[in-house]
Amino acid sequence: MPPAVGGGPAGSEPRPRRGRAGVEGARAVGPDVGAEPAARSPKRPARGSRCTEAAGRWTLLTLVTLLSFATRFHRLDEPRHICWDETHFGKMGSYYINRTFFFDVHPPLGKMLIGLAGYLSGYDGTFLFQKPGDKYEHHNYMGMRGFCAFLGSLLVPFAYLTVLELSKSFPAALLTAALLTFDTGCLTLSQYILLDPILMFFIMAAMLSMVKYNSCANRPFSAPWWFWLSLTGINLAGALGVKFVGLFIILQVGWNTISDLWHLFGDLSLSVVTVGKHLTARILCLIALPLTLYTATYAIHFMVLNKSGPGDGFFSSAFQARLSGNNLHNASIPEHLAYGSVITVKNLRMAIGYLHSHRHLYPEGIGARQQQVTTYLHKDYNNLWIIKKHNTNADPLDPSIPVEFVRHGDIVRLEHKETSRNLHSHYHEAPLTRKHYQVTGYGINGTGDSNDFWRIEVINRKFGNRIKVLRSRIRLIHLVTGCVLGSSGKVLPKWGWEQLEVTCTPYLKETLNSIWNVEDHINPKLPNISLDVLQPTFPEILLESHMVMIRGNNGLKPKDNEFTSKPWHWPINYQGLRFSGINDTDFRVYLLGNPVIWWLNLLSIALYLLLGSIIAVAVQRGTHLPAEVEGLSQVLLQGGGQLLLGWMLHYFPFFLMGRILYFHHYFPAMLFSSMLTGILWDTLLRLCAWSLASSFLARGVYMVGILSLLLGTAYSFYLFHPLAYGMVGPLAQDPGSPMAGLRWLESWDF
């Protein structure tokens, strides 16, 4: 019989292996491998042979890593202007350098690392990052791009090592590395100031750490076992600390851990104490350690960002009081609300903002054509209102008029300071929320009608009590209609400047949408008190920040004419995403996966499901498989199953999300599909080689198959690399464009 086809460790024989990472040595696939296994005792490789093998392993890993870095760092400085979401994350890096507080829907770790990279590389945080296309000029942006490219470059060796650990096959690992190295999409995402390379770095690092500690299952509580288990927890904290979708890799590690513990629990050779030790180790390393690190990132985040900034309005008044430069920081304001006071009124629901009006009117057909009233998240002069008595126009700030405090149950009128129009409601329907009433600004110089009157109520207080600034939770009940002033949280169209809808709801149930507090308070006739007593504790800040982020994520809905994509578009590479440039004179960068690689991945998933199902049914039915086929089957089912689970966890949840989605959300799943492709085609080629009688022919089929896949992916990269490195000249729709023949789908817009 012919000898084994190469790829496994030298001198390897199929042999059972304790642990859950697969069958070590099962990659030798020649038809004679495993023939008379009991009759042959594999010889221990000579010391020189082991050294040569180790040198070969390190050499191959080094070459893979160098090629990855070379492709990611090539032309990293181009284009020399802002591309796509660099607008957001570069700006947020600047905020960290300037210690300016901001709000984002993602956890802080990724932006903190970008800011740190910029700071260490000499960037001073002065570039404005206003819009895509703005030139960086003399500003040092290469440190931030270089940091993201560095982490993006490590994805390839991480995937290589993960597949090598799962399959024990160098060709499978090498094929995986080629798929990721030569993918134009992964390359593009790695070259810009974005969260995606940082997120994918932690996801892949967590996956590699997990399979490494699985491989140490026969040496529990050893130093390597503790190292990889702890490193898995650290990487889980990193993934979740960059984006909430890091939860998907946590679910995968969690499933692996539960399965592992279940097998240990069923091992009757282990004592209950030993099983308890295993459980405790995983609780410490995979729950306590990640939570501690995740919480620590927020502690650093709040410690660094201690200056008032554009994110203030998303948070409560008590939170804002801790920010230097905020008008509530170390402030002294009158404690009790009085008539004539100039105030801002803030909604207590997270990320709703301040009661706001401006001179723009509701458009024709949207209720009464009167002045718009909205909520606005940022500090603004249009947030200022004057609280007045409902039945007099006398100036309460007149020195001859004594101070009169506003009390629970009073009938008041709120006059908008900038436009002198009163807060008003009537029976017209609200712009977006059915069965709610419209709220407008009405009147001239404070003179309106009875629809301007509101009864002010303090939650859980009796009539007559004074209203405290910041601390009293109040409702405003419209006197004529009986409705309650609130905000639906819905984003108004462009005619409403994409601010949030204010309505008067006839449903009197107490919800945070209809509860407000008085924040700013200006009244020269009243004494001031210090606001230091309102400083929140760290747990309160942590909880509030997560509530605001969740609220912000839920509010990310597609806007009119905004480019989005659907999850079913992603695996088929249906449509890319323009990073830079729109015409033939611009430097154009287009995020699109290498179609040869992406469609091969899609085919591989289908083939894996078919082949895996056949093997699983055969094994379940007790079919006797040859030793070499059984070894390959175990690798395919166990190692491939881990990767298929990773792909599913990082892809299918997006179908359940109501928020706006983009093409780049698929790339973590693409990493898993590429690793699965490497294992699947290596296994298929080994099975084909095993079925041939001639050892020379078997080796030839296997080598030609692997080389064809490697050369095919490299050549496809040669064709499509301008998508990542930049194009200038005619668009692909123009027959004269060098990219015209590569526009294989009409939906590709490069």
Side-chain angles (χ1 to χ4, degrees), residues 160-286:
Y160 172 88
L161 292 172
T162 300
V163 170
L164 184 61
E165 190 64 47
L166 290 172
S167 66
K168 304 302 176 185
S169 168
F170 286 108
L174 189 61
L175 178 56
T176 297
L179 293 174
L180 294 180
T181 300
F182 298 132
D183 178 56
T184 51
C186 282
L187 170 59
T188 303
L189 277 183
S190 298
Q191 288 197 307
Y192 297 96
I193 306 169
L194 304 171
L195 295 186
D196 301 271
I198 307 174
L199 172 68
M200 292 191 290
F201 167 82
F202 283 114
I203 289 174
M204 287 302 301
M207 186 68 188
L208 175 60
S209 302
M210 185 189 77
V211 299
K212 283 289 188 180
Y213 98 73
N214 280 344
S215 69
C216 298
N218 55 352
R219 292 174 293 156
F221 309 111
S222 62
W225 186 89
W226 277 112
F227 173 79
W228 291 114
L229 185 64
S230 301
L231 193 59
T232 303
I234 293 171
N235 289 317
L236 293 181
L240 188 61
V242 175
K243 283 189 176 183
F244 284 130
V245 293
L247 177 65
F248 301 151
I249 189 65
I250 292 177
L251 292 176
Q252 177 154 19
V253 172
W255 175 258
N256 177 82
T257 303
I258 292 171
S259 176
D260 194 21
L261 290 172
W262 182 251
H263 282 87
L264 291 171
F265 183 71
D267 187 348
L268 299 182
S269 65
L270 300 177
S271 67
V272 175
V273 173
T274 302
V275 174
K277 289 180 179 178
H278 276 280
L279 176 62
T280 303
R282 285 155 177 81
I283 290 174
L284 289 175
C285 295
L286 301 181

Side-chain angles (χ1 to χ4, degrees), residues 7 77 105 120 139 353 465 506 556 672:
D77 60 330
V105 297
L120 294 177
H139 295 278
N465 285 353
L556 291 176
F672 287 91

Side-chain angles (χ1 to χ4, degrees), residues 615-625:
I615 293 175
V617 169
V619 171
Q620 188 67 18
R621 294 292 297 172
T623 303
H624 175 71
L625 299 176

Side-chain angles (χ1 to χ4, degrees), residues 43 53 86 133 191 200 298 330 394 436 448 469 534 651 705:
K43 297 178 181 179
E53 181 183 341
E86 285 189 321
Q191 288 197 307
M200 292 191 290
Y298 280 90
N330 292 335
H436 285 209
V469 174
L534 296 175
Y651 176 49

Side-chain angles (χ1 to χ4, degrees), residues 283-394:
I283 290 174
L284 289 175
C285 295
L286 301 181
I287 298 178
L289 178 60
L291 282 177
T292 301
L293 294 175
Y294 179 75
T295 304
T297 62
Y298 280 90
I300 298 171
H301 170 73
F302 294 127
M303 181 178 64
V304 172
L305 301 184
N306 60 359
K307 297 180 181 178
S308 178
D312 294 17
F314 290 86
F315 290 80
S316 67
S317 307
F319 182 95
Q320 294 179 44
R322 57 179 294 278
L323 298 173
S324 174
N326 188 283
N327 59 341
L328 298 177
H329 181 66
N330 292 335
S332 295
I333 63 174
E335 181 179 14
H336 295 102
L337 186 61
Y339 289 105
S341 296
V342 178
I343 62 174
T344 59
V345 184
K346 184 176 174 63
N347 194 277
L348 290 192
R349 183 175 175 184
M350 302 296 180
I352 291 291
Y354 300 92
L355 187 65
H356 176 96
S357 188
H358 40 237
R359 296 186 184 278
H360 302 279
L361 306 181
Y362 287 102
E364 200 71 46
I366 306 294
R369 190 166 169 76
Q370 297 174 5
Q371 185 167 295
Q372 296 176 16
V373 173
T374 64
T375 57
Y376 188 51
L377 285 164
H378 305 285
K379 299 281 189 177
D380 191 284
Y381 286 114
N382 282 321
N383 300 341
L384 297 176
W385 301 81
I386 305 172
I387 187 162
K388 293 186 173 182
K389 284 193 167 185
H390 73 289
N391 56 359
T392 179
N393 285 320

